[in-house]
Amino acid sequence: MAHVDNVTRESWILSTFPEWGTYLNEEIERTVVKEGTVSMWWLGCTGIWLKSAGTTNILCDLWTGTGKQTHGNGMMKKGHQMMRMSGVQNMQPNLRTQPFVIDPFAVKDVDALVVTHIHSDHLDINTAAAVHQNCPKAKFIGPLEVVNTWLKWGIPKEKTIIVKPNDKVQIQDITIVALEAFDRTALVTESDPNVLLSGKMPKNMDLIAVNYLFETSGGNIYHAGDSHYSNMFAKHGNEHTIDVCLGAYGENPRGITDKVTSVDMLRMAESLNAKVVIPVHYDIWANFMADPKEITEIWKLKKDRLKYQFKPYIWQVGGQFIYPTNKDDMEFNFYRGFDDVFTIENDTPFPSFL
């Protein structure tokens, strides 16, 4: 029997985190993807696990870290991108708001870890270590500076693949197409806080960020990373067949343009000629949280007049989305259980006042 004298902070942490344990790891491993479909799970932030009918497993942008854990001195770290974007100096209250729904050190059968850009809530050392240790044949795919970071962390060069827009990488039965990213926030992220002040231009976007199109036999999934809205989405929509698009949605604080708004989520889907648009990222930061049903309500107002050919889908972290099976659904709900309900009346005595 447990005893309070044996309970410590360390034992609590080990017995509690990740909060979902290996529940989702097991679900993904056991899932058999039917021919003509593709499955994916939302892991929080923009983290996605894709699984094809050919049992190819692609892990994209899984982040297993935290945001603020202390008030500190109340000031933003010198050189922080939010400081450069707006001049703000007070601390950004970016507290993590989602549980850890997957155990990175229990991952199996990952064929490729794919990362969109250099920011640490997408490029994660714990995920890199877990995939490297558990999946020796996995490829590490990202733009130049993402790969440079992996190399600094100790990922062997032969495991890495540098991509730039229009590059294609074949991972078994999934074709990964790198496309232009539109993440202006990433452009003001530099290791040297004096770069912009010195008059030097920020790094080329193609070196630090890309968007991805995952082409599968069940449908094509477009991952926009942290891209802002751009007219270039129409170029991607003209040049590629896109079934589902994921965008970094959020409620931008005053003076900041970092996430895609509800209106621009719909513009993105229309420009990409997508059939389903799914907002992500809004779940993770306390200071950027937004209500995704705002997207649904605006869609309802505009869909007939603008003849939208797509639907929004409101996901839940840890939930599975199957394309095209779920393409006409508009909201996810977890399985509620209790299918084997009582076949006889419960004999629990009821109070007389009921």
Side-chain angles (χ1 to χ4, degrees):
M1 179 179 292
H3 193 282
V4 291
D5 289 342
N6 297 324
V7 176
T8 65
R9 183 175 186 274
E10 288 71 25
S11 69
W12 163 64
I13 291 172
L14 290 173
S15 65
T16 305
F17 301 101
E19 293 94 330
W20 282 30
T22 59
Y23 184 95
L24 190 58
N25 299 76
E26 296 164 20
E27 177 181 319
I28 294 171
E29 185 179 355
R30 295 170 183 173
T31 295
V32 176
V33 180
K34 295 180 180 179
E35 290 292 335
T37 72
V38 58
S39 288
M40 59 182 180
W41 290 261
W42 185 17
L43 309 179
C45 200
T46 65
I48 302 294
W49 188 303
L50 288 98
K51 189 172 186 178
S52 72
T55 68
T56 302
N57 290 278
I58 305 292
L59 185 55
C60 180
D61 275 15
L62 172 60
W63 174 60
T64 63
T66 63
K68 291 291 182 294
Q69 294 181 297
T70 174
H71 283 270
N73 64 3
M75 302 300 288
M76 191 81 74
K77 180 181 177 182
K78 183 179 180 182
H80 192 284
Q81 66 256 24
M82 294 300 173
M83 177 186 290
R84 297 181 190 174
M85 290 172 70
S86 66
V88 64
Q89 295 187 34
N90 290 334
M91 181 181 71
Q92 180 188 192
N94 56 328
L95 298 163
R96 181 181 175 117
T97 57
Q98 279 292 346
F100 293 96
V101 298
I102 196 164
D103 183 344
F105 288 94
V107 299
K108 299 178 182 178
D109 303 321
V110 172
D111 297 293
L113 173 60
V114 178
V115 168
T116 56
H117 67 288
I118 57 174
H119 284 157
S120 59
D121 55 345
H122 303 259
L123 174 58
D124 177 61
I125 191 169
N126 299 298
T127 301
V131 172
H132 172 57
Q133 294 168 20
N134 294 2
C135 310
K137 295 183 179 180
K139 294 298 183 182
F140 288 68
I141 301 170
L144 177 64
E145 292 303 328
V146 166
V147 170
N148 283 342
T149 300
W150 279 328
L151 295 176
K152 291 175 184 176
W153 289 345
I155 299 300
K157 185 176 182 180
E158 60 269 19
K159 283 190 170 187
T160 65
I161 299 175
I162 297 170
V163 291
K164 59 184 183 305
N166 300 314
D167 285 348
K168 293 185 178 181
V169 179
Q170 192 69 36
I171 302 294
Q172 299 181 170
D173 66 335
I174 295 181
T175 303
I176 302 173
V177 184
L179 297 168
E180 295 93 344
F182 319 115
D183 185 359
R184 292 183 292 277
T185 307
L187 285 179
V188 296
T189 302
E190 289 279 356
S191 57
D192 179 1
N194 296 312
V195 165
L196 295 184
L197 297 176
S198 69
K200 295 179 182 178
M201 291 297 291
K203 286 182 177 177
N204 184 326
M205 180 79 77
D206 296 346
L207 305 180
I208 60 177
V210 293
N211 292 352
Y212 290 105
L213 181 65
F214 299 97
E215 297 179 340
T216 82
S217 60
N220 296 343
I221 312 298
Y222 183 98
H223 195 301
D226 271 359
S227 286
H228 302 87
Y229 182 77
S230 170
N231 292 329
M232 285 281 284
F233 281 129
K235 173 180 180 288
H236 294 172
N238 288 345
E239 294 177 350
H240 302 275
T241 299
I242 297 168
D243 296 300
V244 182
C245 62
L246 308 171
Y249 170 59
E251 197 70 72
N252 294 298
R254 181 174 178 270
I256 297 292
T257 300
D258 183 60
K259 299 292 181 284
V260 180
T261 65
S262 51
V263 171
D264 280 341
M265 284 294 297
L266 299 176
R267 293 181 70 202
M268 179 181 77
E270 183 179 31
S271 294
L272 290 171
N273 290 323
K275 300 178 182 65
V276 179
V277 59
I278 304 179
V280 291
H281 211 320
Y282 66 90
D283 66 299
I284 207 75
W285 294 125
N287 61 329
F288 277 88
M289 287 191 73
D291 186 347
K293 289 191 177 181
E294 180 180 312
I295 298 170
T296 304
E297 292 306 309
I298 295 175
W299 176 84
K300 290 177 182 177
L301 289 173
K302 293 187 173 188
K303 66 181 179 67
D304 295 326
R305 180 169 58 87
L306 298 182
K307 296 180 171 57
Y308 282 156
Q309 300 300 306
F310 64 88
K311 287 184 175 181
Y313 182 80
I314 308 306
W315 216 352
Q316 294 291 329
V317 175
Q320 181 184 16
F321 177 86
I322 305 170
Y323 187 85
T325 305
N326 300 128
K327 71 179 178 65
D328 292 322
D329 298 341
M330 294 188 66
E331 192 163 348
F332 176 87
N333 192 33
F334 287 103
Y335 170 62
R336 299 175 70 196
F338 301 102
D339 285 343
D340 52 343
V341 293
F342 295 116
T343 56
I344 59 173
E345 184 176 354
N346 190 335
D347 61 359
T348 302
F350 294 94
S352 58
F353 58 81
L354 290 182

